[in-house]
Amino acid sequence: MAAELVFFTGTMDCGKSTLALQMDHNRSARGRRGVVFTRDDRAGEGVLSSRLGLSTAAAEVRPGIDVYAYVKTAVAQDPEIDYVICDEAQFLDPEQVEQLALIVDELKRDVFAFGITTDFRTKLFPGSQRLIELADRIEILQVETVCWCGARATHNARTVAGRMVIEGEQKVLGDVGRAQAVGYEVLCRTHHRERRAQLAD
């Protein structure tokens, strides 16, 4: 079976990191070995974590790191490595996404990337855009997130000091549902358009 680049996506809080951890657990429990990457995880550098409290050590993908070269070196040292998991893939540089595709094409290892597609302004993250362009498969996670009104949540919203905003830097770390300077919330399209985040009330 040919190796694949698979992009798992959905809104914030739909279980992407939990699925990444589960996939790594299932494979490692059966003796398979892989490389786990993350970028700017909520739990800190070098950690892939889930809001459910699960976590594992991961290699931090900083700007400029060549992930293909990293995995090629790891495979040279341990040829049994046969998969790569990359969480928070929306934060990767487009060039790093191209390197993930090269891992599939040249090293013949499966790559499973996890990330949100659009930011709080409903604009594509560059990393996600490149994944959409290059992935062999795109899987929309079926764990449905819900807006405060009860409708299906489709958009990610940012709040600053309790107010929803649609301007600012694309990447500012925060978390869902926490009272803090920068917070995030999932909304239906209507309430995102109306700027009606529950945290902003």
Side-chain angles (χ1 to χ4, degrees), residues 61-187:
V61 182
R62 297 184 187 89
I65 286 180
D66 185 330
V67 293
Y68 171 76
Y70 185 104
V71 173
K72 186 176 181 181
T73 298
V75 168
Q77 294 171 351
D78 182 359
E80 296 299 310
I81 289 171
D82 67 353
Y83 68 92
V84 173
I85 287 175
C86 184
D87 197 27
E88 306 293 355
Q90 72 273 8
F91 295 144
L92 298 183
D93 303 329
E95 296 78 14
Q96 290 171 324
V97 173
E98 292 165 13
Q99 293 159 11
L100 292 179
L102 200 58
I103 292 166
V104 174
D105 297 342
E106 298 293 327
L107 302 180
K108 310 303 182 190
R109 267 57 179 184
D110 286 315
V111 175
F112 307 108
F114 299 80
I116 59 177
T117 306
T118 58
D119 65 16
F120 69 104
R121 305 166 301 177
T122 71
K123 304 295 184 186
L124 285 169
F125 282 96
S128 297
Q129 178 178 334
R130 199 69 183 121
L131 276 161
I132 291 167
E133 294 164 348
L134 294 178
D136 296 297
R137 282 190 295 129
I138 299 170
E139 299 283 343
I140 309 297
L141 269 67
Q142 297 303 307
V143 176
E144 188 172 285
T145 52
V146 180
C147 179
W148 61 265
C149 69
R152 181 172 174 265
T154 55
H155 289 61
N156 304 304
R158 177 187 291 171
T159 58
V160 175
R163 297 188 61 193
M164 184 177 160
V165 297
I166 57 165
E167 295 180 356
E169 293 181 33
Q170 187 172 53
K171 185 174 80 172
V172 176
L173 298 185
D175 204 354
V176 174
R178 294 189 179 176
Q180 54 190 357
V182 176
Y184 290 92
E185 183 175 352
V186 289
L187 300 174

Side-chain angles (χ1 to χ4, degrees), residues 7 16 19 21-22 28 30 38 49 51-52 55 57 86-87 122-123 132 138 142 145 163-164 175 193:
F7 181 33
K16 296 178 299 300
L19 179 59
L21 288 160
Q22 185 69 51
S28 62
R30 286 154 185 80
T38 191
S49 72
R51 290 186 182 89
L52 297 181
S55 65
C86 184
D87 197 27
T122 71
K123 304 295 184 186
I132 291 167
I138 299 170
Q142 297 303 307
T145 52
R163 297 188 61 193
M164 184 177 160
D175 204 354
R193 178 175 48 80

